[in-house]
Amino acid sequence: MARTEWTPRKRRTRQHVIADQSVNFVERFIIDEGHTTLRLEKDYGYDLVLFTYDEQGYAEPGLAFLQLKASEALERSGAGYVFDLDIRDYNLWVVENNPVFLILFDAARRRAYWLYVQGYFEGDARRTPKKGAKTVRVRVPERQTMSRRGVAQLRRFKEVFFASAKRGGKS
């Protein structure tokens, strides 16, 4: 078929490409660390579900949710990065019965950084959004890189989260 003038149609944008790159980037570290993910087709606040396994390969109880935010370049601030989180995500994540991790992906540098969401907001009441806010700014430390060691840290946070939940706490 000869190419002629095309009518408007769906287009794969750079944002689509870097979103896929972010999932691929994160999943590789998770797989290398011996764990698995489930990609969620419908994004209503979570992109991946993380399942962890012990050193013998046995499934561990509980799961964690990961939300990835990809951009060409992250907004730097001090010793980390800032991101304006949609208040609807905040409202969902702070009451979630599973740990939630926000992962910021910098496409230009091919790096990602993570934040344990519930712990971040429980750790400082000043981080609570103001009434009527549309977004809440979070700060993701540069030292919290997505790597095999980073995945091990997510696993530890997940273990602590569920151990605390058993004792009647949440974080």
Side-chain angles (χ1 to χ4, degrees), residues 130-148:
K130 307 254 184 287
K131 188 171 179 72
K134 302 274 189 231
T135 63
V136 58
R137 180 159 281 198
V138 296
R139 299 181 184 286
V140 180
E142 182 176 35
R143 71 181 181 280
Q144 292 179 189
T145 58
M146 201 65 211
S147 61
R148 287 188 67 170

Side-chain angles (χ1 to χ4, degrees), residues 61-63 95-99 116 118 122 156-171:
L63 50 89
V95 298
E96 178 57 59
N97 291 321
N98 296 288
Y116 169 44
Q118 291 102 324
E122 289 172 2
R156 281 192 292 281
F157 275 109
K158 177 182 165 266
E159 289 171 355
V160 169
F161 183 94
F162 286 107
S164 175
K166 281 185 177 180
R167 292 188 309 270
K170 189 145 186 203
S171 69

Side-chain angles (χ1 to χ4, degrees), residues 27 30-31 33-38 48-53 64:
E27 282 183 324
I30 291 169
I31 292 165
E33 197 58 19
H35 309 299
T36 60
T37 62
L38 174 66
L48 297 171
V49 180
L50 172 65
F51 299 92
T52 60
Y53 303 84

Side-chain angles (χ1 to χ4, degrees), residues 121-132:
F121 287 105
E122 289 172 2
D124 189 340
R126 294 173 296 178
R127 295 176 177 158
T128 304
K130 307 254 184 287
K131 188 171 179 72

Side-chain angles (χ1 to χ4, degrees), residues 28-43:
R28 285 183 302 144
F29 290 117
I30 291 169
I31 292 165
D32 288 348
E33 197 58 19
H35 309 299
T36 60
T37 62
L38 174 66
R39 290 185 188 189
L40 300 175
E41 298 272 327
K42 309 284 189 239
D43 181 1

